Amino acid sequence: MFNSLSDRLTTTFKNLRGKGRLSEADVDATIREIRRALLDADVALPVVRAFTGRVRERALSAEVAQALNPGQQVVKIVNDELIGILGGETRRVHFAKRPPTVIMLAGLQGAGKTTLAGKLAHWLKADGHRPMLVAADLQRPNAVNQLEVVGSRAGAYVYAPEPGNGVGDPVQVAKDSMEVAKSKLYDVVIVDTAGRLGIDEELMRQAADIRAAVDPDEVLFVIDAMIGQDAVATAEAFQQGVDFTGVVLSKLDGDSRGGAALSVAEVTGKPIMFASTGEGMTDFEQFHPDRMADRILD
Ligand code: GDP
């Protein structure tokens, strides 16, 4: 991912670095190339506009004009602004002062929620927590079963009282799970919810009801990095529907062009917290905006 964007920016900057002085025309030529590279990487147009606007303004400042190596300064500005659109500082999970901490997952079907539930549990266990998974996706017949599979891979208990074939009340299951967690002393509860292929009002309402019932400490919106230009509309719909607190990018191991990663945090104002990079329990990492910017500009 980001390979093509990274190559294009590297070429642009190679030309820039050699220049002793930068005219406004040089800056504009660079901005045009950055703009084209971002659009080709599927970054949403408003994000591209805002990004290039900020880079241009800073690149034309007196500070850059007087710098020993103005080209290098512009590269630094692009790096800073990339970190900015990726969310700035690394955002860590907010744990509840009094356990259990509740983490709810939301996103389209196939985004990678169930897999993420297992990965989170695995990651939390390694950190000394006692996570519990809750099957509040009763829509897909196989969803409960799938959660049980990832739960056993992660070595985490799965609360799933319903068979998961469209029957049962996911809101009640989520509510009941809180009592189970308290009585069995699980300190983190991860609630998996149903997703549809498209945005679906009924399921969005169900997710909002689950949110209201469990009062989560974190609501993670899981988005497939391959989704491309649909990323913004999908993220906005989920922001409105469940008011998520953080984003998880999944399938970063695929050959996506990276647009979703570069659009979602900027458009929603919510930080990217984790990245999923495969189907295995350990293919998962905390998201660090600065490291991602380095990867893009290396
Ligand atoms: P859900 O419908 O949102 O619960 O999505 P799932 O967790 O069932 O994932 C959908 C498919 O994507 C499954 O086949 C997963 O194995 C796969 N998957 C999930 N996360 C990743 C990832 O980070 N990388 C890759 N390559 N595949 C993933």
Side-chain angles (χ1 to χ4, degrees):
M1 138 137 173
F2 289 129
N3 290 346
S4 141
L5 175 65
S6 188
D7 289 350
R8 300 250 314 251
L9 293 179
T10 309
T11 312
T12 304
F13 295 147
K14 207 178 278 164
N15 300 333
L16 197 67
R17 276 199 178 100
K19 289 199 190 286
R21 286 189 54 197
L22 282 188
S23 65
E24 189 165 340
D26 290 330
V27 169
D28 282 336
T30 303
I31 297 292
R32 263 197 306 280
E33 284 179 39
I34 296 174
R35 180 187 158 86
R36 252 184 255 130
L38 291 173
L39 287 173
D40 287 348
D42 269 345
V43 182
L45 185 58
V47 176
V48 175
R49 283 210 182 108
F51 181 85
T52 49
R54 289 195 296 261
V55 172
R56 183 175 190 277
E57 189 178 321
R58 290 181 60 187
L60 290 175
S61 70
E63 198 187 329
V64 172
Q66 286 155 14
L68 224 46
N69 186 337
Q72 190 59 39
Q73 278 297 105
V74 174
V75 177
K76 188 181 172 306
I77 291 168
V78 172
N79 184 62
D80 281 357
E81 293 292 340
L82 265 180
I83 295 173
I85 65 168
L86 289 167
E89 301 270 299
T90 301
R91 161 72 153 77
R92 295 174 197 283
V93 173
H94 291 154
F95 287 98
K97 285 206 180 72
R98 274 201 309 150
T101 295
V102 180
I103 303 176
M104 173 178 160
L105 310 181
L108 294 179
Q109 184 179 315
K113 291 180 295 300
T114 305
T115 312
L116 173 76
K119 291 174 177 179
L120 269 175
H122 184 269
W123 178 76
L124 287 161
K125 276 190 73 166
D127 216 22
H129 291 281
R130 258 170 68 78
M132 169 176 126
L133 304 181
V134 179
D137 175 359
L138 304 180
Q139 213 70 27
R140 265 190 313 139
N142 203 28
V144 174
N145 193 10
Q146 201 193 335
L147 192 68
E148 272 163 353
V149 170
V150 297
S152 83
R153 281 167 77 192
Y157 172 65
V158 177
Y159 179 71
E162 308 280 355
N165 51 5
V167 296
D169 178 2
V171 181
Q172 192 59 44
V173 169
K175 223 183 258 180
D176 293 346
S177 74
M178 297 298 122
E179 297 313 312
V180 174
K182 280 177 202 155
S183 70
K184 296 193 172 180
L185 301 179
Y186 290 104
D187 69 337
V188 185
V189 182
I190 300 164
V191 183
D192 191 19
T193 64
R196 276 277 166 85
L197 287 174
I199 294 153
D200 174 293
E201 272 183 34
E202 194 189 321
L203 280 182
M204 197 64 90
R205 212 171 307 123
Q206 182 188 90
D209 289 346
I210 292 174
R211 192 191 203 296
V214 302
D215 187 20
D217 300 282
E218 299 280 10
V219 180
L220 302 183
F221 166 59
V222 185
I223 185 165
D224 179 340
M226 316 275 274
I227 193 171
Q229 286 288 351
D230 286 342
V232 168
T234 309
E236 283 173 338
F238 275 91
Q239 187 172 30
Q240 214 170 23
V242 295
D243 188 21
F244 53 83
T245 59
V247 178
V248 179
L249 291 171
S250 69
K251 310 191 192 181
L252 279 188
D253 50 313
D255 57 359
S256 118
R257 290 182 280 185
L262 290 171
S263 305
V264 168
E266 168 95 355
V267 164
T268 63
K270 297 291 163 64
I272 301 169
M273 292 173 62
F274 294 102
S276 260
T277 53
E279 300 188 61
M281 289 294 105
T282 53
D283 298 329
F284 169 76
E285 56 198 54
Q286 253 187 321
F287 188 84
H288 301 288
D290 54 346
R291 288 187 211 165
M292 188 55 92
D294 281 349
R295 241 172 80 184
I296 297 171
L297 295 181
D298 73 347

